[in-house]
Amino acid sequence: MSEGYRTKQRALVLSLLQRAGDRHLTADEIARSLAAEGNPVGRTTVYRCLDRLVEQGVVRKFLLGEGESACYQYQSGECHAHYHLKCSRCGALLHLECAYLDGMAAHLQQEHRFVIDPAKIVLYGLCDRCLQQQKEKPQ
Amino acid sequence: MSEGYRTKQRALVLSLLQRAGDRHLTADEIARSLAAEGNPVGRTTVYRCLDRLVEQGVVRKFLLGEGESACYQYQSGECHAHYHLKCSRCGALLHLECAYLDGMAAHLQQEHRFVIDPAKIVLYGLCDRCLQQQKEKPQ
DNA sequence: TTGGGTGCAAACGGTTTGCAAGTAC
DNA sequence: GTACTTGCAAACCGTTTGCACCCAA
């Protein structure tokens, strides 16, 4: 269970993500925040620390949309598997824990022999608000 | 229902995608193929034609994974809504038409007021083969 | 002393933009 | 003539790599 080196920089990155809680942070936001706190860490190093933290399973990486930069989130023990719903129109990101979706995962595994990774999945579509707006003035 | 201009270049791009059938092509592959056929089209123009074809609903754009370039597919009338399963390990891309997933879409709409766009969705995970391999030699 | 870690600068790669020239009607 | 399209070159932007330096064991 070697957790590898725990350098000052890596500890700083991890600490920031832990404090961010639910929020997803980009590498850039992490670099900026650390700098703002008086603990500047080089951008390259931020990326490398994140890579290692992801390898170790301490942090999760999310790719949430076209042209957007990757986001990272601290993976606490009590965090449930959840799915992401992303509105293609307004960009809103919703988190969803849903038994039906868990059922879908089981179905795919049993019937299609495919084991999905819920954390990596983003369901794109339209949120309620944008749906209403679209009805009023399409386009 | 103005379908806009139908320039030579746009017709070439569309024709190639139609001939590609099910296959997803990247902008780069399109540019190369057209050049190989003796109809070179500038890369910029390929991107712009694709944008317009997507706007018109004639072509669909897919983002299939981290660091990978966008793919495009001709959207023929008889094409059913299908989902993409992508193996995170070997990169295999599977197409899936599945009533259960259609049910999921309905569920999300009714219970969570979110209308997903199946074409944009990629379910990441492990395919059967990689799952077997993983059991034999993990990592 | 030695192997990993750091971080600046530069490269990378897909995509977009600026702009001058071309084309259709 | 006017409005749109083309395509080269250059910019963009998130990310990665090269490399010299640093630090801890």
Side-chain angles (χ1 to χ4, degrees), chain A residues 30-66:
Chain A
I30 292 168
R32 282 174 195 279
S33 297
L34 290 177
E37 292 177 357
N39 296 307
V41 175
R43 213 143 295 238
T44 312
T45 304
V46 169
Y47 278 107
R48 280 188 290 224
C49 290
L50 288 169
D51 283 349
R52 284 187 185 64
L53 291 168
V54 169
E55 273 172 27
Q56 294 171 212
V58 182
V59 163
R60 303 220 65 136
K61 178 177 186 176
F62 299 99
L63 298 160
L64 295 177
E66 157 154 37

Side-chain angles (χ1 to χ4, degrees), chain B residues 23-43:
Chain B
R23 291 177 50 222
H24 305 68
L25 302 181
T26 65
D28 189 70
E29 286 167 344
I30 293 168
R32 282 174 196 278
S33 298
L34 291 177
E37 292 176 358
N39 296 307
V41 175
R43 213 143 295 237

Side-chain angles (χ1 to χ4, degrees), chain A residues 8-44:
Chain A
K8 182 186 158 208
Q9 285 83 347
R10 202 174 313 167
L12 283 167
V13 170
L14 182 55
S15 150
L16 184 66
L17 282 168
Q18 285 172 333
R19 282 179 281 137
D22 272 357
R23 292 177 50 221
H24 304 67
L25 302 181
T26 65
D28 189 69
E29 287 167 342
I30 292 168
R32 282 174 195 279
S33 297
L34 290 177
E37 292 177 357
N39 296 307
V41 175
R43 213 143 295 238
T44 312

Side-chain angles (χ1 to χ4, degrees), chain B residues 5 7 9-10 41-42 44-45 48 52:
Chain B
Y5 280 92
T7 66
Q9 285 83 349
R10 202 174 313 167
V41 175
T44 313
T45 304
R48 281 189 289 224
R52 283 185 186 63

Side-chain angles (χ1 to χ4, degrees), chain B residues 1-131:
Chain B
M1 194 49 196
S2 80
E3 53 174 325
Y5 280 92
R6 192 55 71 81
T7 66
K8 182 187 158 208
Q9 285 83 349
R10 202 174 313 167
L12 284 167
V13 169
L14 181 55
S15 149
L16 184 66
L17 282 169
Q18 285 172 333
R19 281 179 282 136
D22 272 357
R23 291 177 50 222
H24 305 68
L25 302 181
T26 65
D28 189 70
E29 286 167 344
I30 293 168
R32 282 174 196 278
S33 298
L34 291 177
E37 292 176 358
N39 296 307
V41 175
R43 213 143 295 237
T44 313
T45 304
V46 169
Y47 278 108
R48 281 189 289 224
C49 290
L50 287 170
D51 283 348
R52 283 185 186 63
L53 291 168
V54 169
E55 272 171 28
Q56 294 171 210
V58 182
V59 163
R60 302 221 65 137
K61 179 177 185 176
F62 299 99
L63 297 161
L64 295 177
E66 158 154 36
E68 288 178 40
S69 39
C71 291
Y72 298 85
Q73 182 186 28
Y74 175 61
Q75 177 74 356
S76 71
E78 75 253 23
C79 177
H80 304 85
H82 65 273
Y83 296 80
H84 289 112
L85 302 179
K86 172 127 197 215
C87 179
S88 304
R89 206 185 203 218
C90 70
L93 181 65
L94 309 169
H95 294 212
L96 181 66
E97 286 177 37
C98 168
Y100 196 99
L101 289 181
D102 296 336
M104 169 190 76
H107 169 83
L108 287 172
Q109 180 162 8
Q110 283 157 32
E111 301 301 321
H112 304 284
R113 307 189 147 275
F114 195 92
V115 177
I116 61 173
D117 177 2
K120 282 185 97 169
I121 290 172
V122 185
L123 304 172
Y124 297 95
L126 286 177
C127 70
D128 194 26
R129 195 144 60 105
C130 287
L131 212 55

Side-chain angles (χ1 to χ4, degrees), chain A:
Chain A
M1 193 47 197
S2 80
E3 52 175 324
Y5 281 92
R6 191 54 72 79
T7 66
K8 182 186 158 208
Q9 285 83 347
R10 202 174 313 167
L12 283 167
V13 170
L14 182 55
S15 150
L16 184 66
L17 282 168
Q18 285 172 333
R19 282 179 281 137
D22 272 357
R23 292 177 50 221
H24 304 67
L25 302 181
T26 65
D28 189 69
E29 287 167 342
I30 292 168
R32 282 174 195 279
S33 297
L34 290 177
E37 292 177 357
N39 296 307
V41 175
R43 213 143 295 238
T44 312
T45 304
V46 169
Y47 278 107
R48 280 188 290 224
C49 290
L50 288 169
D51 283 349
R52 284 187 185 64
L53 291 168
V54 169
E55 273 172 27
Q56 294 171 212
V58 182
V59 163
R60 303 220 65 136
K61 178 177 186 176
F62 299 99
L63 298 160
L64 295 177
E66 157 154 37
E68 288 178 39
S69 39
C71 291
Y72 298 84
Q73 183 186 28
Y74 175 62
Q75 178 73 356
S76 71
E78 76 254 22
C79 177
H80 303 86
H82 65 274
Y83 296 80
H84 289 111
L85 302 179
K86 171 124 198 219
C87 179
S88 304
R89 206 186 203 217
C90 69
L93 181 64
L94 310 169
H95 293 211
L96 182 65
E97 285 178 36
C98 170
Y100 195 99
L101 289 181
D102 296 336
M104 168 190 78
H107 170 83
L108 287 173
Q109 180 163 6
Q110 282 156 33
E111 300 300 321
H112 303 284
R113 307 189 147 275
F114 194 92
V115 178
I116 61 174
D117 176 2
K120 282 186 97 168
I121 290 172
V122 185
L123 303 172
Y124 298 95
L126 286 177
C127 70
D128 193 27
R129 195 143 60 104
C130 287
L131 213 55
Q132 300 305 331
Q133 283 179 10
Q134 183 141 313
K135 278 180 195 160
E136 290 159 24
K137 55 168 176 115
Q139 185 269 341

